Amino acid sequence: PLFIHMAALAVLMAPAGKEQKAVSDLVQAQLDREFQFWKKRVSTDLSDEDWANAMAWLGLVQGATADELKAALATIGTDTADLHLWMKNIYPGTQPGDVAALRPDILSEALIKQQLAKDKGSRIVAAALATGKTVPRVLELLARLPCPRTADFRKLPDEAEEWQKIIVQGLTEAWKTHAVLIYERARLIGRPLL
């Protein structure tokens, strides 16, 4: 049903002559509509990269408080001062003061992959793996994403995508401070993450 809905929106809202044929085209068209909707509700010149980086971080940590988002945006290098407050109002979480991740998951996961492959990808991962509170949530999300493996689970195959390499770099760095937590969570999830 979700893909049928996205396909219908793509047909109704696409510019003349622009046709989305692949699932990735439908997902990208929906992300573009989401940003345009969001931008109309905010009275400022907001870059799509700032929005996308914030939403990618929120997707990795599966939602956060507005204050946690503000701290993460500083680590990522986003200059929009009130972005965390706008997002709290537009994407409210289940508790007062929380900011929810983008839904449905397929949109959030597509945005995560896109943004991690860009220049601030390593900063997004570093911010997501910075605290013991967020590490388990990040690992739970990563367990859902497809990732090719070699016989040696500690290495990615040569054909690994850029976002996957950024994740491995981030986990390697986070291992220095969160080794026990990463190991225990990976064991509970039941998938080798490293």
Side-chain angles (χ1 to χ4, degrees):
L2 175 62
F3 291 116
I4 293 170
H5 177 76
M6 289 191 320
L9 281 173
V11 168
L12 292 172
M13 302 179 87
K18 183 160 176 144
E19 189 176 323
Q20 285 89 20
K21 295 182 179 183
V23 170
S24 61
D25 294 337
L26 294 175
V27 171
Q28 186 58 51
Q30 187 62 37
L31 284 171
D32 293 344
R33 280 190 295 280
E34 181 72 18
F35 175 69
Q36 292 308 317
F37 167 79
W38 196 88
K39 194 169 182 175
K40 287 177 188 174
R41 297 193 59 193
V42 176
S43 60
T44 187
D45 289 332
L46 176 70
S47 81
D48 56 347
E49 285 300 304
D50 285 348
W51 172 83
N53 287 336
M55 291 310 295
W57 181 82
L58 282 165
L60 275 173
V61 300
Q62 301 181 47
T65 68
D67 290 338
E68 290 168 336
L69 176 58
K70 182 178 182 178
L73 292 173
T75 300
I76 294 166
T78 299
D79 295 328
T80 308
D82 294 330
L83 181 58
H84 67 291
L85 297 175
W86 297 325
M87 295 188 90
K88 178 180 79 167
N89 293 325
I90 295 172
Y91 296 104
T94 55
Q95 300 295 318
D98 284 359
V99 186
L102 186 60
R103 297 283 183 242
D105 288 343
I106 190 171
L107 294 179
S108 183
E109 291 166 6
L111 188 60
I112 289 167
K113 292 174 188 178
Q114 282 178 9
Q115 294 309 114
L116 294 189
K118 294 183 178 179
D119 62 333
K120 291 189 178 179
S122 59
R123 290 180 179 191
I124 295 168
V125 172
L129 294 171
T131 71
K133 178 181 176 184
T134 56
V135 167
R137 291 187 255 159
V138 173
L139 295 178
E140 288 165 8
L141 174 102
L142 292 177
R144 294 194 316 250
L145 298 177
C147 188
R149 291 186 174 77
T150 60
D152 179 355
F153 284 121
R154 296 169 294 180
K155 296 181 184 176
L156 285 173
D158 294 336
E159 69 272 7
E161 296 178 44
E162 187 61 27
W163 70 268
Q164 294 165 329
K165 295 174 185 174
I166 296 295
I167 288 290
V168 169
Q169 290 170 0
L171 285 170
T172 301
E173 190 61 31
W175 187 265
K176 296 173 186 174
T177 54
H178 302 297
V180 172
L181 182 59
I182 292 171
Y183 175 79
E184 286 299 317
R185 183 55 61 157
R187 192 178 58 74
L188 286 172
I189 292 170
R191 275 183 71 178
L193 295 169
L194 299 174

